[in-house]
Amino acid sequence: MEWQIWEQRLQSLTKRLPLEEVEIPLASKTWNLTLVRNQDALIDFAEELAHFPYGFLLWEAAVGVAHYMEMTPSLVAGKSVLELGTGLGFAGMVAQSLGAQVCQTDHQLGALMIARWNAQKNGVEGIEYVEADWRDWSSKKRFDVILGADILYERKMHFYLEQMFKNHLRPKGRLLLSDPQREQAFQFITHLENRGWRFKITTTPVPKEFEPANGNMDVVIYEGQFG
């Protein structure tokens, strides 16, 4: 899709959503993101949609995993990365800036538009954007890393995520998932471990300047490999 068309559609969104600009400081730079902070206004907008547009909010899990990747850039540098549930695109942008080749996916086109806008504003180029649903995934492509920030909250989606991991991660590839310490996320990780996955589990804080949507300043990072 041509950039001009994306921009026109984003301008249409800004007339209906209370989009704001927020600065997120990380070690390498301060990132400028367009997002929604007024969740009540988002609820009103969501009444018109089939799925709640969580992707317009910045969740602490995205900030946490972005910080984690900066501290360990070898996780993504020089690797192909599939980001699931991209939302605002922050985690994938940071991965791309560290030398990854990122494909960002979301089932809501509006989120992908804002993700692309955010990348453009921050000088991050070369990201691929794909509108896609985990439950109906046609691509056969495999990646070195599958990245997901706060995508484990819905138990009914765990089956589809497990299939995504199995079918789209290269041999010896790595999962890089972050979550704000939800019980259902830990239960899913335990399930995967029982199916042959191995995980390194780390807790990382998000920057003090960040105001978390969930009110939790500590994020759990799950690094996983099969076998």
Side-chain angles (χ1 to χ4, degrees), residues 5 8 10 18 22 25 63 72-73 79 81 97 106-107 117 141 146 158 161 176 182 190 215:
I5 298 176
Q8 290 171 3
L10 181 60
V22 173
V63 180
T72 50
K79 295 180 171 63
V81 176
S97 74
D106 203 288
H107 71 284
W117 175 259
K141 189 174 180 180
I146 293 181
H158 289 175
L161 282 172
L176 188 56
R182 288 192 174 95
T190 301

Side-chain angles (χ1 to χ4, degrees), residues 66-77:
H67 170 74
Y68 189 78
M69 288 187 291
E70 276 202 333
M71 297 301 101
T72 50
S74 61
L75 289 172
V76 295

Side-chain angles (χ1 to χ4, degrees), residues 26-39:
L26 292 182
S28 62
K29 63 179 286 186
T30 295
W31 297 80
N32 185 279
L33 300 180
T34 296
L35 50 81
V36 174
R37 284 200 291 188
N38 186 335
Q39 294 193 44

Side-chain angles (χ1 to χ4, degrees), residues 54-211:
Y54 292 109
F56 293 110
L57 301 167
L58 179 61
W59 301 94
E60 55 266 46
V63 180
V65 76
H67 170 74
Y68 189 78
M69 288 187 291
E70 276 202 333
M71 297 301 101
T72 50
S74 61
L75 289 172
V76 295
K79 295 180 171 63
S80 59
V81 176
L82 172 65
E83 184 177 17
L84 302 177
T86 291
L88 299 170
F90 185 50
M93 274 196 303
V94 173
Q96 184 83 7
S97 74
L98 293 171
Q101 180 54 59
V102 178
C103 174
Q104 291 189 321
T105 67
D106 203 288
H107 71 284
Q108 291 185 325
L109 181 59
L112 288 175
M113 286 192 287
I114 293 182
R116 181 162 179 170
W117 175 259
N118 282 327
Q120 182 84 0
K121 286 198 307 178
N122 287 277
V124 178
E125 299 179 349
I127 295 176
E128 180 184 3
Y129 301 90
V130 177
E131 184 182 8
D133 190 321
W134 310 333
R135 296 165 295 183
D136 184 22
W137 196 276
S138 59
S139 173
K140 304 297 182 183
K141 189 174 180 180
R142 289 180 178 263
F143 297 81
D144 300 317
V145 178
I146 293 181
L147 171 66
D150 207 346
I151 64 172
L152 308 179
Y153 58 88
E154 199 169 0
R155 286 187 173 90
K156 68 182 181 181
M157 297 301 293
H158 289 175
F159 168 81
Y160 300 103
L161 282 172
E162 185 174 359
Q163 296 306 304
M164 289 294 301
F165 302 160
K166 176 182 176 181
N167 296 330
H168 299 286
L169 197 63
R170 286 177 176 159
K172 299 184 179 180
R174 188 183 304 270
L175 299 178
L176 188 56
L177 309 173
S178 61
D179 186 87
Q181 305 187 55
R182 288 192 174 95
E183 180 183 358
Q184 59 266 42
F186 180 74
Q187 290 172 345
F188 180 49
I189 296 300
T190 301
H191 164 78
L192 291 177
E193 287 181 325
N194 292 333
R195 300 291 290 269
W197 291 84
R198 295 177 290 108
F199 283 91
K200 174 186 174 183
I201 302 176
T202 308
T203 301
T204 184
V206 299
K208 293 180 180 179
E209 297 86 349
F210 175 64
E211 298 179 5

